[in-house]
Amino acid sequence: MYVPDDPPETCPACGDPYASVSRHDDGFVVNLLDNERYRRVCFHPVDPEADADAAFDCFHHTHRQTGSSAAE
């Protein structure tokens, strides 16, 4: 996993604030059914000219950032 040096201020996939971002170039699993910290993860493709090895960025949204009533 890689964290981009210049992440956007809001999630480019949905436009909402996010807690963190990670960049991935291989497969991984996302399970948010029982996640106490994050409610949603948005996936956004990386410009191949910016990073030829990366496939996509993952923007991690907390419960509060998604409007969920679950505790953050």
Side-chain angles (χ1 to χ4, degrees):
M1 180 187 78
Y2 166 77
V3 177
D5 292 330
D6 58 344
E9 287 192 34
T10 59
C11 175
C14 69
D16 289 343
Y18 61 93
S20 63
V21 60
S22 57
R23 183 166 289 173
H24 300 268
D25 63 356
D26 202 357
F28 67 98
V29 175
V30 177
N31 174 5
L32 300 180
L33 295 176
D34 299 313
N35 194 305
E36 293 181 14
R37 185 170 185 184
Y38 297 116
R39 175 69 176 178
R40 180 177 75 225
V41 176
C42 291
F43 303 96
H44 192 266
V46 174
D47 178 358
E49 292 183 20
D51 188 341
D53 295 328
F56 51 87
D57 286 345
C58 300
F59 293 85
H60 313 106
H61 300 273
T62 63
H63 290 271
R64 182 172 292 162
Q65 289 168 329
T66 61
S68 172
S69 60
E72 192 171 342

